Amino acid sequence: MSAPEKTRHAGLEDLLARPLWETVFRRRTHRVSRGASVPAGSMSYTSPHQSMPLGELEEAVLIALTGCSGLSMPDRPFEDPRDHKPIMAKPNLNMVGRTAGSPDNAQGTHFFLINDSGTYYLRKLPPSRQAAFDPDALIERARQSKVRVLDHRLDVAEGMRDFPAYLDSNRFLSNLAGTTLFLPVVDLSHQYINALMYLLTQPDGARPTLVDDRNFYRPAGVRKWVKNGFLNPDLKLPLGALGPMRTQIEADLLLQNMMLAADAMGLGAWIHASLSPQIALGDPKFSRTYGRMLGFDFVTPRFRPADILRWQVPLPKYADLRAHPVGLRAGGEHLIKCACPPNHPSMEDAVDSVVRGKFGKGGIYEDQDVFTRIYKNGYAQRYLTEAGEYDQQVIDCARDICVYIHATHGRFPAHTDAIHVPGVWLQTHHLESEYYERFFRDGLTDAHRRHASRWHE
């Protein structure tokens, strides 16, 4: 890839010219940031430097990797080749593309950026019409995306870095002054509903009967759908087997992309165990000790005697064992809003909101302009007309399953959290170069050695 004409920044030009193959095979984790010291016996090292935060453009490049990268392509069949019957061909929750894929383009991953100036939620921006690699454009979009949620670095109080806050040696090098961290959290709820509907678009005889493995494998609100023949009673699928619907995979892929880019820029990059997710989000089980932290909204289901067997919750006072995050608000605005109560008055409304977001007024499959920008020669309208949508039976059956889950277990989803936290974050930083030169063969790449001259002169 060659640098666009508008790019007049030596660091960006270096990044765009670096071969992907070299970046992948030379990638190594670099844990030691500028200004950090390493107590390691005879290999102990004390830095003579002050910490050095990333520059605005350096952070902006990495922020760009979390966001929109254009429009995706609905390149899927519309009919079953065996009998030419139409099949559902509009599974996506988004049509804008991202730098990593996600199931049904759900894009449930949200990022927080943590640096010396505070902790920020990174808002997803619409596609940009500006040059993707123009320094000024990158910086401006990064500024637009950042929503400050804390005026300090997300961390526990001094002296509290032991487990469960931090894991083992990570506490000595993770989240130090001068470092920038990217923490992903994944809203599973919208794709959980969407994926249920997609699952139920299978042909006759291949639609499974959902059963509840946390309720003695009873039908999960689908008795009438088994009785009327819509679901196959001999093909049983436990709700627990669905897990997070693979929606969490996007976060891992995005982190890998960001790590490769940071390494190619000549920065240190380290994916590792984050601050404990329950502590970081403000789980009520930990907030008395560590504070509200990010301050997510949590739902704690009302204790029911059946929870003793279903969830091994022995007494009402332990009900918060099943608390889970359902959203985040800042300045009166919902930054993350899961598709479940209390964000919606009922699960019926939550399911209907997902359907409206796809096929209702203003939904993604009602926006012909978007598809005109994807297709050429008039094929946009053909796709919108010919590609199948969810049958009403599919929507109604999925709604019954979701209503059952919330009514039975007091939360949605029940077998996984509405917001999944992978439990890892990416730390990027300027390297303590002398440390790597002193102790390691091939400890630095050319990109690391020339980073200062390309990015800071």
Side-chain angles (χ1 to χ4, degrees), residues 287-327:
S287 59
R288 290 182 183 177
T289 301
Y290 296 97
R292 287 282 290 144
M293 304 299 278
L294 286 172
F296 271 70
D297 295 327
F298 275 76
V299 164
T300 300
R302 176 177 58 84
F303 175 83
R304 302 173 187 181
D307 290 343
I308 298 172
L309 296 176
R310 290 172 179 161
W311 298 102
Q312 293 78 57
V313 178
L315 294 168
K317 67 178 181 178
Y318 298 116
D320 65 0
L321 290 171
R322 299 187 57 233
H324 75 139
V326 296

Side-chain angles (χ1 to χ4, degrees), residues 166-188:
Y166 283 89
L167 181 64
D168 195 45
S169 62
N170 288 358
R171 64 188 183 274
F172 301 113
L173 295 174
S174 181
N175 202 12
L176 301 183
T179 64
T180 295
L181 293 101
F182 292 86
L183 170 67
V185 304
V186 187
D187 173 6
L188 303 179

Side-chain angles (χ1 to χ4, degrees), residues 261-280:
D263 193 83
M265 292 165 67
L267 295 170
W270 176 28
I271 297 174
H272 60 286
S274 68
L275 188 65
S276 171
Q278 293 91 343
I279 293 172

Side-chain angles (χ1 to χ4, degrees), residues 49-260:
H49 305 294
Q50 295 292 319
S51 61
M52 181 182 176
L54 267 58
E56 194 171 19
L57 179 58
E58 291 168 309
E59 284 191 347
V61 170
L62 297 172
I63 290 171
L65 288 165
T66 72
C68 173
S69 59
L71 293 171
S72 60
M73 298 183 295
D75 50 348
R76 61 179 69 247
F78 299 170
E79 59 184 38
D80 190 326
R82 298 170 298 185
D83 54 18
H84 301 291
K85 289 184 178 180
I87 58 176
M88 208 293 290
K90 295 178 179 176
N92 283 14
L93 282 177
N94 292 281
M95 291 312 301
V96 295
R98 212 172 184 180
T99 61
S102 63
D104 302 333
N105 205 20
Q107 297 186 15
T109 304
H110 301 262
F111 274 96
F112 293 88
L113 179 147
I114 304 159
N115 63 21
D116 290 350
S117 67
T119 301
Y120 303 85
Y121 171 79
L122 297 181
R123 192 192 305 276
K124 296 177 184 177
L125 301 179
S128 173
R129 302 295 179 109
Q130 295 176 286
F133 300 106
D134 175 63
D136 293 336
L138 285 167
I139 290 173
E140 179 57 29
R141 282 182 67 82
R143 290 173 179 170
Q144 292 174 14
S145 72
K146 292 167 71 174
V147 180
R148 181 179 284 183
V149 293
L150 297 173
D151 62 3
H152 56 273
R153 183 179 285 273
L154 176 69
D155 206 351
V156 296
E158 187 176 354
M160 299 183 70
R161 280 197 158 212
D162 293 327
F163 188 83
Y166 283 89
L167 181 64
D168 195 45
S169 62
N170 288 358
R171 64 188 183 274
F172 301 113
L173 295 174
S174 181
N175 202 12
L176 301 183
T179 64
T180 295
L181 293 101
F182 292 86
L183 170 67
V185 304
V186 187
D187 173 6
L188 303 179
S189 62
H190 293 79
Q191 176 59 5
Y192 197 98
I193 293 169
N194 187 56
L196 276 177
M197 291 190 287
Y198 196 27
L199 178 66
L200 296 173
T201 63
Q202 308 309 305
D204 290 345
R207 289 186 289 270
T209 296
L210 276 295
V211 296
D212 188 354
D213 44 325
R214 288 285 187 169
N215 193 23
F216 311 106
Y217 289 87
R218 299 172 65 185
V222 295
R223 290 187 187 277
K224 81 171 186 179
W225 298 101
V226 173
K227 187 176 180 179
N228 68 17
F230 183 69
L231 301 182
N232 183 347
D234 298 320
L235 186 60
K236 292 182 171 61
L237 179 62
L239 288 172
L242 299 178
M245 299 283 199
R246 305 188 184 98
T247 311
Q248 83 288 356
I249 292 173
E250 179 195 36
D252 302 329
L253 298 174
L254 287 168
L255 286 175
Q256 175 70 354
N257 286 349
M258 296 165 72
M259 183 175 190
L260 290 173

Side-chain angles (χ1 to χ4, degrees), residues 308-421:
I308 298 172
L309 296 176
R310 290 172 179 161
W311 298 102
Q312 293 78 57
V313 178
L315 294 168
K317 67 178 181 178
Y318 298 116
D320 65 0
L321 290 171
R322 299 187 57 233
H324 75 139
V326 296
L328 175 69
R329 291 172 288 174
E333 177 188 4
H334 257 115
L335 300 176
I336 303 175
K337 184 178 180 181
C338 294
C340 60
N343 299 325
H344 293 269
S346 66
M347 277 312 303
E348 290 97 332
D349 185 76
V351 172
D352 290 346
S353 74
V354 172
V355 176
R356 285 195 304 271
K358 296 182 67 165
F359 306 116
K361 185 177 181 180
I364 63 169
Y365 290 105
E366 294 295 310
D367 190 346
Q368 184 170 339
D369 178 62
V370 168
F371 292 90
T372 300
R373 291 159 56 199
I374 295 173
Y375 284 101
K376 58 185 180 180
N377 300 331
Y379 285 108
Q381 187 57 51
R382 294 190 186 188
Y383 167 77
L384 291 173
T385 301
E386 296 175 19
E389 301 178 359
Y390 293 128
D391 183 85
Q392 189 61 45
Q393 289 188 100
V394 167
I395 297 172
D396 293 343
C397 183
R399 186 189 293 114
D400 285 351
I401 295 169
C402 295
V403 168
Y404 163 86
I405 291 171
H406 189 264
T408 303
H409 298 289
R411 48 174 273 181
F412 180 87
H415 300 67
T416 188
D417 287 344
I419 292 176
H420 168 81
V421 187

